[in-house]
């Protein structure tokens, strides 16, 4: 066990020791800066529990993810203050890299604010994010580390940012994106071709983040700030297939899952996506 972690739900998937893993799951169950719907602290547990519903054999890839070397490192015990939480998350991810520098991490959240921690530790050159929101605010509700600021904080690290599925932002965020050359695609304009065109030229390695609210609100009602008019499940899966086959992706996350009921629709969407990510990594990696 890593320092500062605990176990919530176990998945039905067979897992291996962290030292032998090719893929490692780590939960970041934080919801201290939530502005609308609460409960993201339960996200990682809800996602793991929802995967009980799914076959480990993934039809799309002829891969049984039960045969992959997956470790589940549990959830990080995060304090309520966002800067303290980021510090503990960073420490834990550094420790994880020391124990196993080669495994591809898949982080489960938890508020999007927490994505700053793995990006800081893993130092990707690009950040490709699926999100209904730009997350480019300089500060929100008194904090620079609010979930609504995470893409801005990441771009300030010198990481190239591209955002897909957007349908919410402020005029200031739009101007900031223009000024800094941050490219983004509106959910109405989203296509596989638009994704490939934009990501093809992005420098590697790449960190891929899925804010679950990128999906249409009908697929993800239990999330901090749901938005109608979002992407379809296969839009995101097909983009992830392309990027994991063609580009060097060093980590993934699935964030902003929340709720207080096992088996909620959002957790099922996230759990299915998690299994597809593992399946495609089993096939393409
Ligand atoms: N990144 C995010 N999830 N951003 C959404 C921030 C919340 C916008 N509330 C606007 C309320 C205006 N009355
Ligand atoms: Mn977000
Ligand atoms: Mn969002």
């Amino acid at each position: 066990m890593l320092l500062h972690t605990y176990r919530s739900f176990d998945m039905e998937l067979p897992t291996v020791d962290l030292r032998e893993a090719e893929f490692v799951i780590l939960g970041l169950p934080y919801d201290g800066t939530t502005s609308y719907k609460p409960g993201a602290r339960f996200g990682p547990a809800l996602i793991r529990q929802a995967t009980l519903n799914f076959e480990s054999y993934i039809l799309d890839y002829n891969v049984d993810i039960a045969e992959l070397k997956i470790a589940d490192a549990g959830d990080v015990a995060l304090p309520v203050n966002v800067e303290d939480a980021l510090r503990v998350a960073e420490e834990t991810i550094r420790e994880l890299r020391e124990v196993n520098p080669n495994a591809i991490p898949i982080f489960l959240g938890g508020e999007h604010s927490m994505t700053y921690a793995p990006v800081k530790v893993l130092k990707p050159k690009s950040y490709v994010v699926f999100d209904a929101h730009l997350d480019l605010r300089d500060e929100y509700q008194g904090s620079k580390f609010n979930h609504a600021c995470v893409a801005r904080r990441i771009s300030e690290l010198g990481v190239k940012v591209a955002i897909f599925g957007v349908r919410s932002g402020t005029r200031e965020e739009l101007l900031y994106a223009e000024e800094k050359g941050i490219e983004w695609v509106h959910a109405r304009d989203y296509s596989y071709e638009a994704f490939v065109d934009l990501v093809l030229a992005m420098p590697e390695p790449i960190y891929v983040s899925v804010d679950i609210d990128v999906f249409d609100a009908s697929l993800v009602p239990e999330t901090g700030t749901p938005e109608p008019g979002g992407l379809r499940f296969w839009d995101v899966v097909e983009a992830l297939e392309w990027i994991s086959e063609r580009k060097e992706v060093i980590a993934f996350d699935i964030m902003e899952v929340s709720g207080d009921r096992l088996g909620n629709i959002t957790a099922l969407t996230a759990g299915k996506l998690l299994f597809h990510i593992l399946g495609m990594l089993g096939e393409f990696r």
Side-chain angles (χ1 to χ4, degrees):
M1 286 287 279
L2 302 172
L3 224 61
H4 307 305
T5 60
Y6 62 95
R7 305 210 68 80
S8 53
F9 283 98
D10 278 329
M11 294 189 297
E12 193 183 6
L13 277 183
T15 51
V16 301
D17 187 274
L18 177 55
R19 279 168 285 254
E20 303 158 22
E22 263 194 276
F23 311 103
V24 55
I25 291 166
L26 181 68
L28 300 170
Y30 182 77
D31 61 8
T33 76
T34 296
S35 51
Y36 188 56
K37 285 180 84 168
R41 71 182 63 194
F42 303 124
L46 287 165
I47 297 169
R48 287 190 188 85
Q49 205 280 341
T51 64
L52 284 172
N53 184 45
F54 302 121
E55 302 291 0
S56 61
Y57 179 74
I58 312 298
L59 280 175
D60 312 49
Y61 314 117
N62 186 22
V63 168
D64 191 328
I65 62 172
E67 293 161 7
L68 303 178
K69 290 183 184 165
I70 300 168
D72 187 344
D75 291 344
V76 185
L78 295 168
V80 68
N81 175 282
V82 65
E83 286 165 62
D84 293 340
L86 285 167
R87 210 168 301 122
V88 176
E90 268 174 50
E91 246 174 68
T92 309
I93 296 160
R94 272 205 192 90
E95 188 191 353
L96 188 154
R97 300 301 284 177
E98 276 164 30
V99 177
N100 184 335
N102 300 316
I104 294 198
I106 304 172
F107 303 101
L108 305 179
E111 263 182 31
H112 214 176
S113 45
M114 288 300 109
T115 293
Y116 189 60
V119 169
K120 256 185 98 180
V121 175
L122 302 174
K123 299 185 168 46
K125 289 220 166 64
S126 300
Y127 174 67
V128 168
V129 58
F130 295 86
D131 201 327
H133 307 89
L134 289 168
D135 287 357
L136 290 173
R137 281 177 147 103
D138 188 32
E139 70 93 42
Y140 195 55
Q141 299 186 336
S143 175
K144 291 208 155 215
F145 296 95
N146 185 284
H147 61 89
C149 311
V150 61
R152 176 131 167 192
R153 294 289 90 78
I154 287 170
S155 89
E156 287 169 352
L157 296 172
V159 177
K160 177 119 186 88
V161 174
I163 316 170
F164 298 92
V166 178
R167 53 213 188 266
S168 167
T170 62
R171 186 174 284 138
E172 289 71 26
E173 288 179 283
L174 214 69
L175 288 172
Y176 181 82
E178 254 168 50
E179 200 180 295
K180 301 292 174 187
I182 294 171
E183 308 210 61
W184 62 276
V185 178
H186 197 292
R188 287 171 76 139
D189 303 324
Y190 180 82
S191 68
Y192 180 75
E193 291 71 28
F195 178 83
V196 170
D197 265 10
L198 226 158
V199 178
L200 197 56
M202 291 182 80
E204 298 160 272
I206 299 177
Y207 184 102
V208 174
S209 179
V210 180
D211 180 332
I212 206 74
D213 69 29
V214 76
F215 292 113
D216 189 72
S218 56
L219 277 179
V220 291
E222 298 91 359
T223 187
T225 50
E227 285 276 343
L231 302 195
R232 301 171 314 142
F233 187 73
W234 301 117
D235 288 332
V236 175
V237 168
E238 286 165 16
L240 296 185
E241 287 170 357
W242 182 85
I243 200 171
S244 52
E245 187 173 11
R246 304 286 299 274
K247 299 291 259 185
E248 185 193 355
V249 179
I250 48 169
F252 295 83
D253 69 36
I254 304 174
M255 306 301 281
E256 292 286 354
V257 174
S258 71
D260 57 6
R261 272 179 201 235
L262 299 180
N264 81 41
I265 307 277
T266 311
L268 289 164
T269 303
K272 184 84 176 167
L273 185 66
L274 172 63
F275 271 26
H276 267 69
I277 290 173
L278 288 164
M280 67 182 79
L281 290 175
E283 164 125 334
F284 300 135
R285 194 170 176 239

